[in-house]
Amino acid sequence: MFSTQTRQKSGLRRKAAAVAGATALLLGGGLAAATTASAGPNCAAGYHCVFYNGLGEPGGHAFYNSDPDFTDNYFDGMSININDNTWAASNSSTGGYESHYYYDVNYGGGLVFCVNPGSAVNAGQLSHDGVKGNHVGQRDEASSLLMRPSTNISCF
């Protein structure tokens, strides 16, 4: 038989082990929840990427910060201006920021589309009416990018 003293020690050890286990779970869960890195396809961590032809196709460009004016930006390795030529986008935000694309420079003209962290939108998902700059379609329309903290706007 166990003595009362032995049972008390055993009970204290179990309680200590339970508290230690619960603490480890809470700390581990907290660390996992604190990480907001989300990788979108074909876009390096921390960047918001646009593509001329489609995800992973030649002609991409990565933005690290918001850009109020695409007229001075070109797709990598191409002489094609990004303004009103975006066919796809990917969001690899490490800070939980949504990518919000606007029809006009300086975030004007209304929202064209937005992409959630860790997500992407490809050419076939964006509406296209065939006329650039008329603010009706989504493909070939973006002129600026604003990175915003999580919103209630429905994004890709």
Side-chain angles (χ1 to χ4, degrees), residues 62-99:
F63 293 96
Y64 188 74
N65 292 311
S66 296
D67 191 324
D69 187 354
F70 284 175
T71 60
D72 60 349
N73 296 305
Y74 292 83
F75 290 103
D76 299 343
M78 303 175 91
S79 59
I80 298 172
N81 189 272
I82 293 173
N83 190 55
D84 291 338
N85 282 313
T86 297
W87 283 37
S90 184
N91 180 343
S92 289
S93 174
T94 54
Y97 288 95
E98 297 172 358
S99 308

Side-chain angles (χ1 to χ4, degrees), residues 33-40 44-48 63-65 91-99 115-118 147-151:
T35 303
T36 56
S38 298
Y47 288 88
H48 302 252
F63 293 96
Y64 188 74
N65 292 311
N91 180 343
S92 289
S93 174
T94 54
Y97 288 95
E98 297 172 358
S99 308
V115 182
N116 286 318
M147 296 172 195
R148 297 183 62 188
S150 184
T151 65

Side-chain angles (χ1 to χ4, degrees), residues 94-112:
T94 54
Y97 288 95
E98 297 172 358
S99 308
H100 288 241
Y101 296 89
Y102 291 86
Y103 283 107
D104 295 331
V105 297
N106 295 317
Y107 322 117
L111 181 67
V112 181

Side-chain angles (χ1 to χ4, degrees), residues 5 7-8 29 44 47 53-54 56 69 86 95 104 133 135 146 150 152:
Q5 197 174 33
R7 275 186 261 160
Q8 286 175 339
Y47 288 88
N53 290 308
D69 187 354
T86 297
D104 295 331
H135 298 190
L146 180 62
S150 184
N152 60 0

